Amino acid sequence: MNSSASTKERILTAAEALFAQRGFEGASLRQLTAAAGVNLAAVNYHFGSKDHLVEQVFKRRLDQLNGRRMAALRLIASQPETSLEDVLSAFIRPALDLSHDGGGGLFMRVLARAFAEHDDSLRKFLSENYGHVMRQFTAEFARLLPGLSKEELYWRIDLVTGALTHAMSGFGIIQRKSDVSEVTHREQTAEHLIRFAASGLRAP
């Protein structure tokens, strides 16, 4: 990694931690430069503004997440038959992987901040850049659940997404046991969540 890329990555990592801890309004550029070990000129050079820095913190994680999701969706689309569980797996497993992938836990707190602080410009950015991924999954769910109205389907997908976000946060009452590996615990979480979500989506 060259020096410029290393500096940019260091700023993004420091910003993610600060936004998780203090929120978008509460984290100052002075705090950011101190945490990243850079000067303000470096932040301006790489990001131009604080709003653009916030967007890039999300882009770094969500590009990876949605790339994995779309690859999984393309893979099952090539199969002779696709089940509801297959589509849920493509939606859920990459997200759980992200939440346990160095820094993913911090990013979940940043994501929660975005909704808690009602940042309309950030929501617009996320919708414009990543809404197409959700639309493709919604189309697959609709195809596999033709008996559901559009409104009912949206309600159920929203609740499934909420359950996934909760599972990603790691704040649930079920925590990994000391004799269970991280990979095994994540797989157990995925299996339970996929079964739960499939049942909810198929309910009359």
Side-chain angles (χ1 to χ4, degrees), residues 81-103:
E81 294 183 7
T82 302
S83 69
L84 180 59
E85 285 79 3
D86 290 333
V87 179
L88 284 167
S89 179
F91 183 68
I92 288 170
R93 291 182 189 277
L96 290 177
D97 288 345
L98 171 66
S99 68
H100 292 83
D101 181 15

Side-chain angles (χ1 to χ4, degrees), residues 108-122:
M108 289 310 303
R109 291 166 60 187
V110 174
L111 190 60
R113 288 277 192 181
F115 289 99
E117 295 185 16
H118 304 289
D119 189 321
D120 290 337
S121 63
L122 179 56

Side-chain angles (χ1 to χ4, degrees), residues 105-183:
L106 271 179
F107 178 70
M108 289 310 303
R109 291 166 60 187
V110 174
L111 190 60
R113 288 277 192 181
F115 289 99
E117 295 185 16
H118 304 289
D119 189 321
D120 290 337
S121 63
L122 179 56
R123 288 187 179 190
K124 181 180 179 182
F125 168 79
L126 295 175
S127 176
E128 290 177 349
N129 287 273
Y130 303 105
H132 68 284
V133 176
M134 197 64 230
R135 286 191 291 271
Q136 291 199 46
F137 274 95
T138 299
E140 279 299 299
F141 288 134
R143 182 179 67 82
L144 293 167
L145 300 162
L148 293 181
S149 68
K150 184 176 181 180
E151 181 180 3
E152 183 63 25
L153 178 63
Y154 281 11
W155 269 105
R156 297 187 187 194
I157 292 174
D158 197 45
L159 292 171
V160 168
T161 303
L164 172 59
T165 303
H166 180 72
M168 292 171 71
S169 72
F171 293 145
I173 60 174
I174 299 177
Q175 298 294 314
R176 180 173 65 88
K177 297 178 180 178
S178 59
D179 61 341
V180 176
S181 72
E182 187 69 56
V183 172

